[in-house]
Amino acid sequence: ITYSAAISGCEKGGETEKALELFSTMLRSEVEINTIACSAAISACEKQWQQALKVFSEMYMLKIAPNVVTYGAAISSCEKGAQWEWTLALLARMGREGVERNVVTCSAVLSACEKAGRWELVLCLLAIMRTDAVCPNTIAFNASISACENGKHSRSAIAIVSEMKDKKLEMDVITYGGAISACEKGLRWERALYLLEDLVASGQAPDVI
């Protein structure tokens, strides 16, 4: 518990190297390592995806089962490191191992694929979330709309906006901006104007872009 708390403290303080040093000390000693300690170490590697995956792989060598927190930390690190393939691989492994995939982990994978310009994968992931009864939130939908914008898929962007309305989810300037841009690129100016009017009616101020 002491080591886990210390590693967690280093993670919260942004002391990645100290957290990894403590984790290495645990590996060399006879101290029992558990999922909590491993998850904290991976979280500390938020901006070092290689180190995060190294700790993750060591868990299997030690026969320690990762949980949803562990996966979430590893996926988040890979997403920030622009490693969209790894985020997908980790999400798939969660399914194989029976670890529940939640909106946080799925949204991180969506974001990674969106940033990589893989709009088709984003739409597939959105469909998987619905199948797994994981309700997408505004962050997940915004990433999906942005992917549709980059992929010039105005119809899909409009459909996502409609779904958000049906689910009564918060729609912000990012939501509207992405959808309007997608319509502009898809030469659907009438729909773009309708969305702009809807944005104004919601009481939000449109930006210049």
Side-chain angles (χ1 to χ4, degrees), residues 30-50:
E30 295 181 357
V31 177
E32 183 180 354
I33 303 176
N34 58 20
T35 304
I36 297 174
C38 293
S39 298
I42 292 172
S43 293
C45 300
E46 185 178 28
K47 297 180 180 179
Q48 297 185 26
W49 65 271
Q50 298 98 327

Side-chain angles (χ1 to χ4, degrees), residues 1-176:
I1 295 175
T2 304
Y3 269 106
S4 298
I7 292 173
S8 181
C10 291
E11 177 257 319
K12 289 180 174 63
E15 298 288 345
T16 303
E17 298 306 322
K18 288 184 180 179
L20 291 175
E21 185 179 336
L22 285 170
F23 187 73
S24 296
T25 300
M26 291 184 74
L27 290 174
R28 291 193 302 268
S29 67
E30 295 181 357
V31 177
E32 183 180 354
I33 303 176
N34 58 20
T35 304
I36 297 174
C38 293
S39 298
I42 292 172
S43 293
C45 300
E46 185 178 28
K47 297 180 180 179
Q48 297 185 26
W49 65 271
Q50 298 98 327
Q51 290 292 342
L53 291 180
K54 182 179 178 182
V55 175
F56 190 85
S57 64
E58 284 172 342
M59 292 184 68
Y60 284 89
M61 294 174 62
L62 296 169
K63 296 182 179 180
I64 300 172
N67 59 18
V68 66
V69 176
T70 316
Y71 273 107
I75 288 173
S76 178
S77 179
C78 290
E79 184 261 325
K80 288 178 172 60
Q83 301 298 311
W84 63 272
E85 299 98 330
W86 273 112
T87 66
L88 282 172
L90 289 167
L91 190 69
R93 174 171 277 188
M94 289 182 76
R96 291 196 300 271
E97 295 185 354
V99 180
E100 184 179 358
R101 294 180 283 202
N102 59 25
V103 67
V104 176
T105 52
C106 290
S107 294
V109 179
L110 276 174
S111 179
C113 291
E114 180 268 319
K115 291 173 183 175
R118 303 306 300 264
W119 61 268
E120 69 274 46
L121 287 176
V122 170
L123 294 181
C124 285
L125 284 166
L126 200 59
I128 290 172
M129 289 178 74
R130 298 187 188 101
T131 303
D132 287 355
V134 177
C135 184
N137 57 14
T138 300
I139 295 173
F141 277 126
N142 282 353
S144 302
I145 290 172
S146 180
C148 292
E149 173 198 349
N150 294 329
K152 298 181 180 179
H153 260 251
S154 58
R155 288 183 181 276
S156 296
I158 293 168
I160 292 170
V161 169
S162 296
E163 184 176 350
M164 291 181 74
K165 284 186 175 182
D166 291 341
K167 294 181 181 296
K168 293 181 171 54
L169 288 174
E170 178 187 358
M171 296 170 60
D172 53 25
V173 174
I174 296 174
T175 310
Y176 283 105

